[in-house]
Amino acid sequence: MSDEIGVAVLGLGNVGSEVVRIIEESAADLTARIGAPLVIRGIGVRRVDADRGVPVELLTDDIEALVSRDDVDIVVELMGPVEPARKAILAALEQGKSVVTANKALMAVSAGKLAEAAEKAHVDLYFEAAVAGAIPVIRPLTQSLAGDTVLRVAGIVNGTTNYILSEMDSTGADYASALADASALGYAEADPTADVEGWDAAAKAAILASIAFHTRVTADDVYREGITKVSAADFASARALGCTIKLLAICERLTTGKGKQQVSARVYPALVPLEHPLASVNGAFNAVVVEAEAAGRLMFYGQGAGGAPTASAVLGDLVMAARNRVQGGRGPRESKYAKLPVAPIGVIPTRYYVNMNVADRPGVLSAVSAEFSKREVSIAEVRQEGMVDDEGQRCGARIVVVTHQAKDAALSETVAALADLDVVQSINSVLRMEGTSE
Ligand code: NAP
């Protein structure tokens, strides 16, 4: 049995308190698995109170001093925002400590700098919990698929938005009341912006794309749209088309006409056919579908958030980092050799669903379809229904157009041109369609 492995835990919130609990409660098993006991040297918090369920002498608000202690081998960062986490992690790495973090916001913007520091110090930097909580997806991508070529990673990686969209689908609720429900049940934060505007999913997409394609992709490289404009009418139309609507994070390897490889990372709400595996992922659950050249399609499903599920992923990383310490080595280093360029959204082949109100008179459909054909966008399906006003008088028609695949730029130009047509009263919504390749 080796010497103790000293651990500093930064943060004692939802995740940190579960990590500390499991370290204490499973001490004997963890010792056997690692080959040395894990000993918590200190816990970094803002409020050092006696009443926090851990021995008060472990608590400190001096993060800098805690990570610098000679008897700390591994720092587990579970504080949250980019700062002060970045400063603490960099200090830890520079002093030769391995680091485990669940901080997606930080990893999506600073992974390069942190990985460099880990490389220099020859220590581990693990972040399985930063994407999809309990679901193992980072390690399968970095290790299990290390010999394969990943083509696509697409997933539902934000539980809050998946809960809201699932509610809208199953109850017919509009966005505002589904959000209110999610808040009341604790699935949405007081300020839900990072979730509903897709920022959280974009951070995870950046991390997934970086790993899957051996290329540095940051949050700024990710095209992003949130779910705030998705309406109950969109769900009704989606149902009629045999689809539901999901907020997807999509990372893809693309080959241009000239045979050059590029990567795409994007987040948006999309129509997904009901038979697609992601369509049945409901509530706060997450799922990630990976497609690799030799392995084919793999699906990972489970709890994407919550104290205990996230702590499971953190503990997995902590045990790996501790084992590496005991054996005197480190895990696989970051792989960014491919350096593929990130493709702009305009070149991405996709399908659109366009929902618009039009005048109810002859020639409208041909004017609308002319705008699609001018830009070589082929229409797959058109649905039209008449509308009546409060007095029961006909007042126009609602048209839903679903396209075949075309470049995103051609599709968005078409929508802009439609909005300028006299016969189009309003463009109600525009969503992409995923999970079909026609
Ligand atoms: P949380 O409940 O808000 O807890 C944050 C903890 O960090 C608190 O204990 C807080 O101290 C401490 N802290 C914050 N700023 C600090 C500072 N400047 N100095 C010292 N301590 C500080 O957060 P959480 O939900 O556990 O999330 C932690 C991390 O895990 C975040 O990066 C999050 O994105 C990630 N994550 C969370 C989940 C989840 O389901 N919660 C899932 C995946 C990833 P006080 O207690 O004294 O306020």
Side-chain angles (χ1 to χ4, degrees):
M1 185 67 63
S2 300
D3 292 344
E4 294 173 345
I5 301 286
V7 180
V9 180
L10 310 183
L12 190 64
N14 295 315
V15 185
S17 54
E18 287 296 319
V19 166
V20 169
R21 179 185 65 76
I22 297 171
I23 291 176
E24 297 302 338
E25 287 180 9
S26 305
D29 283 328
L30 293 174
T31 302
R33 292 172 200 169
I34 292 164
L38 285 180
V39 179
I40 297 178
R41 305 291 189 207
I43 301 171
V45 289
R46 280 175 297 211
R47 292 171 294 113
V48 180
D49 310 329
D51 195 18
R52 304 209 51 168
V54 296
V56 72
E57 61 276 12
L58 284 179
L59 296 173
T60 175
D61 57 5
D62 190 344
I63 302 294
E64 209 178 321
L66 175 57
V67 302
S68 303
R69 279 174 59 156
D70 288 341
D71 59 356
V72 166
D73 302 292
I74 303 175
V75 171
V76 179
E77 186 281 309
L78 304 166
M79 290 188 292
V82 171
E83 294 298 355
R86 174 171 25 206
K87 192 165 167 235
I89 290 178
L90 263 181
L93 294 169
E94 281 163 2
Q95 293 173 73
K97 288 101 175 34
S98 293
V99 170
V100 173
T101 178
N103 196 328
K104 55 234 160 183
L106 173 61
M107 291 310 294
V109 294
S110 289
K113 190 143 196 232
L114 300 180
E116 228 171 76
E119 188 61 38
K120 217 163 155 190
H122 204 65
V123 294
D124 290 318
L125 170 64
Y126 288 148
F127 46 92
E128 181 66 69
V131 180
I135 307 171
V137 29
I138 303 289
R139 195 159 287 116
L141 283 169
T142 49
Q143 297 186 28
S144 318
L145 293 168
D148 208 335
T149 300
V150 176
L151 305 172
R152 197 168 201 263
V153 182
I156 294 168
V157 293
N158 182 274
T160 305
T161 47
N162 202 47
Y163 178 86
I164 293 170
L165 295 175
S166 301
E167 274 288 290
M168 292 175 74
D169 194 13
S170 61
T171 66
D174 62 13
Y175 168 75
S177 55
L179 171 61
D181 249 24
S183 304
L185 291 167
Y187 289 125
E189 309 231 355
D191 177 1
T193 312
D195 293 318
V196 299
E197 294 293 358
W199 295 106
D200 175 82
K204 293 164 180 170
I207 296 170
L208 289 172
S210 297
I211 289 165
F213 307 126
H214 306 271
T215 288
R216 172 79 52 229
V217 178
T218 68
D220 288 344
D221 296 320
V222 180
Y223 176 82
R224 179 196 51 81
E225 289 175 21
I227 64 161
T228 54
K229 293 189 189 129
V230 177
S231 66
D234 290 330
F235 271 99
S237 302
R239 277 275 157 196
L241 293 162
C243 294
T244 185
I245 300 171
K246 295 291 183 191
L247 182 72
L248 299 180
I250 300 169
C251 311
E252 215 166 16
R253 184 188 291 271
L254 303 165
T255 307
T256 65
K258 293 178 183 154
K260 289 226 166 84
Q261 299 250 305
Q262 293 182 316
V263 300
S264 158
R266 49 197 203 267
V267 167
Y268 44 64
L271 272 73
V272 177
L274 291 173
E275 61 274 12
H276 192 279
L278 291 176
S280 48
V281 175
N282 287 317
F285 277 79
N286 282 194
V288 178
V289 176
V290 177
E291 290 172 47
E293 216 164 68
R297 189 187 265 185
L298 306 165
M299 183 162 174
F300 302 85
Y301 170 84
Q303 297 189 65
T310 308
S312 163
V314 171
L315 259 296
D317 282 351
L318 177 55
V319 167
M320 294 300 290
R323 277 186 190 149
N324 292 340
R325 290 256 153 185
V326 169
Q327 287 159 16
R330 56 172 297 203
R333 66 188 57 186
E334 194 199 37
S335 167
K336 293 289 167 281
Y337 72 92
K339 298 190 175 65
L340 299 177
V342 178
I345 186 73
V347 307
I348 306 301
T350 188
R351 299 182 68 187
Y352 267 30
Y353 145 99
V354 186
N355 180 325
M356 63 196 125
N357 289 0
V358 297
D360 193 5
R361 60 171 192 256
V364 170
L365 261 183
S366 63
V368 165
S369 61
E371 294 304 327
F372 284 90
S373 60
K374 264 186 221 168
R375 292 163 189 86
E376 297 182 4
V377 177
S378 147
I379 292 175
E381 192 170 342
V382 179
R383 285 165 185 257
Q384 178 171 358
E385 67 184 46
M387 296 189 302
V388 287
D389 62 18
D390 292 345
E391 274 92 49
Q393 301 297 311
R394 285 172 62 173
C395 63
R398 176 159 301 142
I399 294 183
V400 168
V401 177
V402 178
T403 73
H404 286 296
Q405 261 196 0
K407 292 228 167 101
D408 201 277
L411 287 158
S412 66
E413 273 170 30
T414 305
V415 172
L418 289 171
D420 284 344
L421 286 182
D422 285 345
V423 293
V424 173
Q425 295 165 346
S426 61
I427 303 281
N428 303 321
S429 65
V430 180
L431 292 167
R432 293 171 183 83
M433 191 177 233
E434 292 289 338
T436 63
S437 55
E438 295 144 60

